Amino acid sequence: GAVVSQHPSRVICKSGTSVKIECRSLDFQATTMFWYRQFPKQSLMLMATSNEGSKATYEQGVEKDKFLINHASLTLSTLTVTSAHPEDSSFYICSAGQGNTGKLFFGSGTQLSVL
Amino acid sequence: QKEVEQNSGPLSVPEGAIASLNCTYSDRGSQSFFWYRQYSGKSPELIMFIYSNGDKEDGRFTAQLNKASQYVSLLIRDSQPSDSATYLCAVNRNTDKLIFGTGTRLQVFP
């Protein structure tokens, strides 16, 4: 399957700081990438769809000014959690689709802990 | 009604048995169906996908789709302790978005 790389794998930060997470498609070009959040023992919740060269599409209830998404190239999307608070602590996972197959391949995830 | 429903489990099966995981979906327009495996603290890994009614086999895994009943299942033959994980069912409505179920936790005991 396709390879999606996500960094960092774990972040611990103080409340009020911003954290940037990178997602790269290593062996294919992804015009669309997706950002998910997962709380312990819960399912994946789609936060936003990242579109190369245009604005991201956010799901209902997700604050676009808090979760900044940039998709500047066909292989890189970034998620910045601005002014992080303890309730933002979660497992953040990016994914990218391969062509029109509908298949999604996931990055390894980023465990964010806000103190 | 949730768009994609799964029994949260845990489903406990002995080593060597067949594990049967089930999923129902509400949107009849759904086109593609996926099963992901997720180990604790890790991201999901695609293990099976199916687009047409019927069965699709890949090694020890068989995906079954019944669009009339809006039902998709995953069978794992000769279950191994290493198969213990949460299995996520996901449905695509011919868009880029995948809708995930909450997952079924499978426990395979020796």
Side-chain angles (χ1 to χ4, degrees):
Chain A
V3 179
V4 177
S5 173
Q6 185 175 344
H7 293 280
S9 58
R10 180 177 291 274
V11 178
I12 301 173
C13 68
K14 291 183 179 179
S15 185
T17 60
S18 293
V19 175
K20 180 186 279 189
I21 303 169
E22 289 191 351
C23 181
R24 294 180 185 271
S25 56
L26 296 186
D27 52 359
F28 67 103
Q29 293 182 329
T31 55
T32 305
M33 291 186 177
F34 303 90
W35 288 96
Y36 290 85
R37 180 167 55 184
Q38 187 176 36
F39 293 105
K41 298 187 178 181
Q42 294 188 23
S43 189
L44 299 166
M45 186 185 78
L46 180 63
M47 298 176 66
T49 302
S50 172
N51 304 298
E52 189 267 334
S54 64
K55 292 183 179 180
T57 304
Y58 290 82
E59 295 299 303
Q60 191 173 9
V62 179
E63 299 176 59
K64 63 180 180 180
D65 294 330
K66 180 167 186 62
F67 299 99
L68 300 179
I69 292 173
N70 184 279
H71 194 155
S73 76
L74 287 171
T75 59
L76 174 64
S77 175
T78 61
L79 168 68
T80 301
V81 182
T82 62
S83 186
H85 289 285
E87 58 264 29
D88 298 323
S89 299
S90 185
F91 191 48
Y92 292 85
I93 317 173
C94 72
S95 68
Q98 189 177 38
N100 296 319
T101 64
K103 300 178 202 176
L104 280 189
F105 297 94
F106 286 85
S108 54
T110 298
Q111 183 63 55
L112 173 62
S113 299
V114 185
L115 306 178
Chain B
Q1 181 187 11
K2 291 181 181 178
E3 292 188 69
V4 180
E5 294 207 52
Q6 295 179 257
N7 188 316
S8 61
L11 172 66
S12 294
V13 300
E15 184 175 357
I18 296 175
S20 177
L21 304 160
N22 304 315
C23 172
T24 58
Y25 58 95
S26 61
D27 188 344
R28 284 195 173 275
S30 300
Q31 300 286 325
S32 310
F33 307 85
F34 305 85
W35 283 99
Y36 285 83
R37 177 177 61 198
Q38 186 176 25
Y39 292 110
S40 180
K42 303 295 185 182
S43 63
E45 173 192 11
L46 178 65
I47 54 172
M48 286 290 287
F49 59 92
I50 187 167
Y51 303 139
S52 304
N53 275 328
D55 295 0
K56 179 181 178 183
E57 186 175 319
D58 184 1
R60 294 187 296 114
F61 300 101
T62 299
Q64 298 175 319
L65 175 62
N66 184 324
K67 289 189 176 181
S69 300
Q70 295 173 241
Y71 173 97
V72 58
S73 64
L74 178 70
L75 301 177
I76 306 176
R77 289 182 298 283
D78 189 23
S79 295
Q80 302 297 309
S82 59
D83 295 326
S84 299
T86 295
Y87 289 80
L88 301 168
C89 172
V91 173
N92 181 300
R93 293 176 290 184
N94 206 31
T95 66
D96 285 336
K97 291 185 188 179
L98 276 189
I99 308 299
F100 284 87
T102 53
T104 298
R105 189 157 64 94
L106 173 66
Q107 293 178 334
V108 181
F109 56 91

